[in-house]
Amino acid sequence: MRTGLVVQARNGSTRFPKKMMADLVGKKAIEWVFTRLSKLKVDVKVLATSILEEDKELINIAKRFVWYALAGHPTDVLSRYAKAVEDFSLDLVVRITGDCPLIDPELVQKALSKALEENVDYLVLTGIIDGFDVEVIKGEWILRAYQRAKLPSEREHVSPYIRKSKKAKKLFYRIHEEDLSHIHLSLDYPEDLVIIERIIKALGKEDFTYEEVVKLIKEKPEILKREKEIPVNEGYLKSLRQDRDFIRSLRAKPLKLENSLRHFEKTKTLIPNCSQTFSKSYLQFSVGAVPLFVKEGKGCYLTDLDENTYIDYTMGLGACILGYAFEPVIERVEKELRRGTVFTLPSYLETELAELLRETIPCCEMARFGKNGSDVTSAGVRLARAYTGRKYIACCGYHGWQDWYIGTTTRDRGIPEEVKSLTLTFEYNNIQSLERLFEEYKNQIACVIMEPMGVEEPKEDFLQKVRELTQKRGALLIFDEVVSGFRFSLGGAQEYFGVVPDLACFGKAMGNGIPISAIVGRSEIMELFEEVFFSFTFGGETASIASAIATIQYLRDKKVIPYLWEQGKKLKQGIQKLIEDKEMEDIAFVKGYDVRFLLDFVGDNSLKLKTLFQQECAKRGILFTGSHNMALPHDDKIIEKTLEVYDEVLDIVKFAMEYDMVDELIEGQILQPVFRKM
């Protein structure tokens, strides 16, 4: 363990210029520090001063006392300490400031011994008189702070980053019961020099201890009397004010959004909610700070009405797995458009797609098609009731806008209580909650419909247990794979997790942005569609059928899904590392599988933090909603750019929380939840 004493000192104080050179009972102030610390038992003694001309004299004095000296940035004192650690290979650093001419070497030695004994990353003496300040810091933590500290206060005052860190092992070491920290004996103002000189003369020697100073002050408190009061800790308070200005400066220039906002005002008079989808509406995008409407998309880029472009990870709510306007799919769709899309008879392409699904999806023996996920989940529920003769449904997850499901949420206006009462809910990863439903509604539950996984991973064989329970209780198991289908694997989450349901619903990525969905399953159940009414004009429309065939074949032939996992892993791990490096685990989190995951915020301020994050990401060219649906265009360059932006914006969120500036920094409307489950 190589130990070093590093004293920071400079002459450029605005409150007391050239104070290190001030005469103090026949010696320069800095000479008192060198003299009194000469007995300290460390491997290296270093003066860390600035590169300014006015501080060269300090270096000469240090050399005269046979100390090492280094010169660095005038205000980035942390960088000087990092240089000392690197230049002298220091494992443990004793930090003393040059404005402590009364510093007691015995006190310093005691602090050093305690730090070694407790093996702490950081130790500071507390409750002592200001002017006897001692910090002991591990060299590795000084280097970590040097790499990560960004606020002015953290750079100028060396230890704030470490003191705030939740990961550093810290010891706030109190050597006496009484708190004497209100007594000011450091050399910040010319008035301080008078008091310090008075104390040295009263003690009558150079080799005095901290206890002797305390004793003197208690016996002669008048020795501290000043002609005028001085502000205490003014330097650090000034840095904190600079921190707030620095945080404000981190915000990027507001986006140009005139066309978007003008279109918003017009749309409000024509389209309720200004969108056909709640998740795309202004509830989810900060009005006034980010775009509300899109003009076009290509690859993973979106262009808004003001010609701003953004990297997108939501990808049309997960639909555009190959990217926006993906040429191989467009070519196939264009061909069908020229041949007609809706006919008097079914198209032969429907059979071709059904055959492709049967080759791909484990539970698929037969298939029917819809346009949205809600079409096929509702078809599945109706089919299950017809097959079992039972009326109740047990569900878990999100299953679309139809009455039977949305009645379980807070956005349930217009849905009769009689309909709501037929849908029961249970908790994901809580098999007991489902068992209780089967027990309470014995022989009355037609099916369990669930997303095999959302962003929460199945634990303790949960999916297998659900499969066994439904078989035991005579209910059907329907996997809602509208999100997970053609994403977790070509055969969906059922293939990924090895649990095969009776029926399954697919959509979103299936057609790469062209509306199509499918319900697939066992023949003996699916054949009931001969009687169960599931029929609409645009079912089997050939443009979407062709897009699904082209998309699935491309995913299969080009092995796209393994690539998405690989890219998602890079991005997810990168974000997780940012959160950990910034010690933001109590503010932000990443959840889900590599191929689809969320970045979100916690606590009462979560929506405000998400709003601020979305705002600053948009200014930097990323349209953030929280979801990261990995798609083919998300290459290494895109991921690298994303992590650079997230790095900057997470800092803003962190500092805004730390300095209570979240409301001040938000420039638009706070985001709102679409609904909450009841």
Side-chain angles (χ1 to χ4, degrees), residues 651-668:
D651 276 341
I652 296 174
V653 170
K654 178 183 177 181
F655 298 149
M657 281 286 288
E658 187 177 333
Y659 282 76
D660 195 20
M661 295 174 67
V662 176
D663 289 329
E664 178 187 336
L665 298 182
I666 290 176
E667 297 167 0

Side-chain angles (χ1 to χ4, degrees), residues 417-443:
E417 291 299 323
E418 292 82 356
V419 173
K420 293 182 190 178
S421 68
L422 296 178
T423 302
L424 315 169
T425 59
F426 64 98
E427 295 176 19
Y428 193 79
N429 275 334
N430 184 349
I431 193 66
Q432 290 77 19
S433 67
L434 181 59
E435 288 173 339
R436 282 195 292 271
L437 291 181
F438 273 113
E439 196 59 34
E440 186 176 351
Y441 296 87
K442 197 168 287 184
N443 300 325

Side-chain angles (χ1 to χ4, degrees), residues 74-118:
T75 56
D76 187 355
V77 186
L78 179 57
S79 67
R80 290 189 233 158
Y81 274 82
K83 183 172 172 54
V85 170
E86 288 179 335
D87 288 358
F88 299 99
S89 303
L90 299 180
D91 299 305
L92 203 59
V93 172
V94 178
R95 176 181 175 236
I96 303 292
T97 57
D99 53 11
C100 296
L102 299 180
I103 190 73
D104 178 2
E106 291 184 16
L107 201 62
V108 178
Q109 200 73 56
K110 191 172 184 178
L112 177 58
S113 299
K114 189 68 174 178
L116 286 165
E117 177 187 332
E118 299 290 338

Side-chain angles (χ1 to χ4, degrees), residues 463-488:
L463 296 178
Q464 288 86 346
K465 289 176 181 174
V466 172
R467 173 70 283 188
E468 292 167 7
L469 186 58
T470 52
Q471 288 174 329
K472 180 181 174 184
R473 295 290 190 161
L476 298 186
L477 174 60
I478 305 174
F479 274 176
D480 180 345
E481 297 227 44
V482 172
V483 172
S484 58
F486 304 104
R487 178 168 294 279
F488 275 68

